[in-house]
Amino acid sequence: MRFLRALLLALLVVSFVSHAALAAGGPMQPPKEHDRSTRFIEEDLLCQCGCTMGVAVCDCGTAGEMRENIARMLGEGQTKAQILAFYVAEYGEKVLTAPTKRGFNLSAWITPFAVLLIGLAFLYWLVRNWVRQFRATVAVAGPGEAEEPAELSEEEQAYSDKIREILRRHY
Amino acid sequence: MLLQTWNDFGLAVMLLGLAANVWAILALVLGLVRSDKRLIDSGRGAVLALAILMTLAISLLWVQFMTDDFSNEVVAGHSSTWLPALYKFSALWAGNSGSLLLWAWVQTILIAVLAYGRHREGQEMMPYAVAIMSGINLFFMLILALVKPPFVSLYPVPPEGNGLNPLLQDPGMVLHPTTLYIGYVGLAVPYAYAMTAMILNRADDAWIRVTRRWTLFAWIFLSIGIIFGGQWAYVVLGWGGWWAWDPVENASLLPWLTATAFLHSVMIQERRGMLKVWNVALVTTTFLLTLLGTYLTRSGILASVHAFNDTTLGFWFFGFMAVVLLISVTITTWRSHLLREENQFEGIVSKESSFLLNNLILVGMTFTVFWGTFFPLISEAVRGVKVTVGPPFYNQVMIPIGLALVLLMGVCPLLPWKKAATKQLIQNLVPPTGAALVGAVLLFAFGMRNLFAIVGFAVCILVVAAIVLDYARGIRARRKMTGENPLTAFWNLSNKNRRRYGGYVIHLAVIIMMVGIIGSSVYKQEKIFTVELGQTMSIGPYSVTYTGLRGRSQGPVDEVYTDLQVSVDGKPLGLLRAQKEFHPNSKEATTRVGILGGFKEDLYVILNGWESDQTANFKLLINPLMTYIWLGWYLMTIGTFFAMWPGRHVPAGATATTRQRSIEAAWAPAD
């Protein structure tokens, strides 16, 4: 902690000096911009520092090293698949941010859509049956008896007629 | 003397609370079995006593936190003398004991409100529901008594506490757990009433009407809790996003999704007397998922940045979930005759079927999140290989399903109840679909090339157009009938059917959030720079000049920060501070990002690190339309409270004029 405080004090001093330098400053060189062309690979890899975040977003040293390695391997001409395979060999499949689309892992991707499709088919079958039941009821009871209308007072009937008239004209 | 310390006193209060809880259940159950009003009243009294005792217990713990009473293990474990007062207050729920005490306290207050609140209907259901809720609370009281007691004495008393996890030292963490817990606890109310309806052999929808506002109340608090968590992640975790599909984040989303499905499906039961079994299943699943969320957060079975990691607690929660499931299935099976229904639909295409489709998609989304969350465990069990299921999986699977749901949100209001005539359907669908297509073409013409963004924004336009169209028709019809001016007609139309139009406001809020989500995910820009003093970094229209690092100490916390000069096209916008904090109780430095927010975009700056020569490394991001995510959330809250607001109650036997008003309110067909 003492070391840290000393470091902070040093930073404070340097910052005053630096502000003076800035005030007197001349034209500046552009800063070093890091190559982010590796991001498309970083997004598929999990940082191994234990933070549970992706390499693309984690700012720890481990993620930094992985980013540098990816850039180096890309520079050596390796493909994305080769780089990912390297990391899988190194850390196991858990280094990938999503399961592969092969073998058992494929079930991770397919199951949600399969469940939805089965659900959709079941829903269609259910609704179609309910519509058939309704039609059967209407056929037996006659259209007027399928639903008993509520008894309305004269005042309510007039009001209801007005509403129906508006609905007829505008809907 | 028996009670020598505040901890002894706290323990005594908790034990009295446990006794009150047990008596509440016994008195209520016996009272109901024997139809003894005195016993039922005694049970209600015990519930009130329990709420008072738990308020006393949590107040005592808060006092211990605020006064740095490190004789309490919980205080010593999560607080310190130098912690700001706000975080001493919120440190109470930083650990398992305190957070479970908070949960139990919120729950007991809610049970007392239920027991003593004014009930327009369903009064006879109240004692049963209170007994069930008390049974749920007993589980938490037992955990607090046996597994994670909040009042444990430490000897010798340490002079200083361990301090609070630096990541939790943020206003977001003051609000996120409390709102989330209110949501979780609130969802137990509809569950308790559903079980009550089964026990009472009641097949009607009274339990749904009684709990409608409770469900909405719980749902909005769960929504607020989720968004507060997202805001906290955006500001504190410093990775530039707000949702990472982490297992614990997913755990809060699961009950939210099923609760949303429930809010929609109850309308079918209320209107058509259908889906009884489905609604009971949904509400039971929702309650179980709130427990699952707690289990995931506390058991540590899945790797997460948010987890408490306590296998003992995990075991208890797992057991409780199994008991709740068993009891619920038993009761539902016992009363299955109530749920048998003669369902009839007049047409395949109708508002009813769109609600069913809505439920299918929401439950499908729940399954997807559940499946993705647990797939690592499944893979390990089946293949013995650990895998990770992270954002790429959810983005690829959830986005198409989510878009289908939003599309349905646009189509549903245009469909009539019972049966849609083809001509009417086309008439209703053409204007919004046309607006969506024109919107898509315009977006393309103005240079948008990302297919997901074009489709996403077009769907958003369709939904907004559908809502506007429905509103316009309602206002026009109302003006014809009453001669009101457009503004009055708009207000009266909304006010007389708050549920429907509150729902539309919520739908609009979802669309505003969608716009934010699409913009911030598709058009995010990111650059990383290593800069020397005085150098300027550029991203989008922004120029960010590095002015050097500074250091300062806030108590034992050391901060290294930089005030960056930000300008757009040479026009200075001001200073933006990005910093790292070094807390004595953490090995890792904590990031405090600099955010310059606006309606168009957020400039998001992370100070990654530095060298001794003041060279520093920064990550700069532009997150477009982020503000719309938070704006949508505000609107969603407003819409929910509007929908919840009590309307005029029309009792049976009311005068003709009152009934006329109620017909008037209902004539714009309620959703």
Side-chain angles (χ1 to χ4, degrees), chain A residues 3 5 26-27 33 49 51 64 75 80-81 85 89 93 101 105-106 112 121 127 130 140 146 156:
Chain A
F3 170 74
R5 281 176 187 273
E33 187 180 340
C49 72
C51 66
K80 179 180 178 178
E93 276 185 44
K101 288 172 183 165
N105 283 345
L106 192 60
V127 172
W130 289 347
V140 171
E156 284 170 347

Side-chain angles (χ1 to χ4, degrees), chain B residues 28 32 111 114-115 119 122-136 188-197 199-200 210-211:
Chain B
L28 285 165
L32 288 165
I111 300 171
L114 208 61
H119 299 266
Q123 184 67 31
E124 71 289 355
M125 299 172 104
M126 182 273 291
Y128 291 87
V130 170
I132 292 169
M133 293 283 290
S134 301
I136 294 165
V189 178
Y191 166 74
Y193 269 91
M195 289 300 117
T196 300
I199 293 166
L200 286 175
V210 172
T211 58

Side-chain angles (χ1 to χ4, degrees), chain A residues 40-60:
Chain A
F40 74 108
I41 298 175
E42 292 167 21
E43 278 170 353
D44 288 352
L45 290 168
L46 197 71
C47 177
Q48 294 301 301
C49 72
C51 66
T52 72
M53 290 200 285
V55 173
V57 292
C58 186
D59 59 0
C60 75

Side-chain angles (χ1 to χ4, degrees), chain A residues 18 34 36 94 97 133 137, chain B residues 343-344 388 390 526 530 533:
Chain A
S18 61
H34 292 246
R36 299 300 291 130
K94 67 180 189 331
T97 50
Q133 278 173 21
T137 312
Chain B
N343 292 316
Q344 292 187 349
T388 305
E526 178 193 305
T530 298
L533 206 60

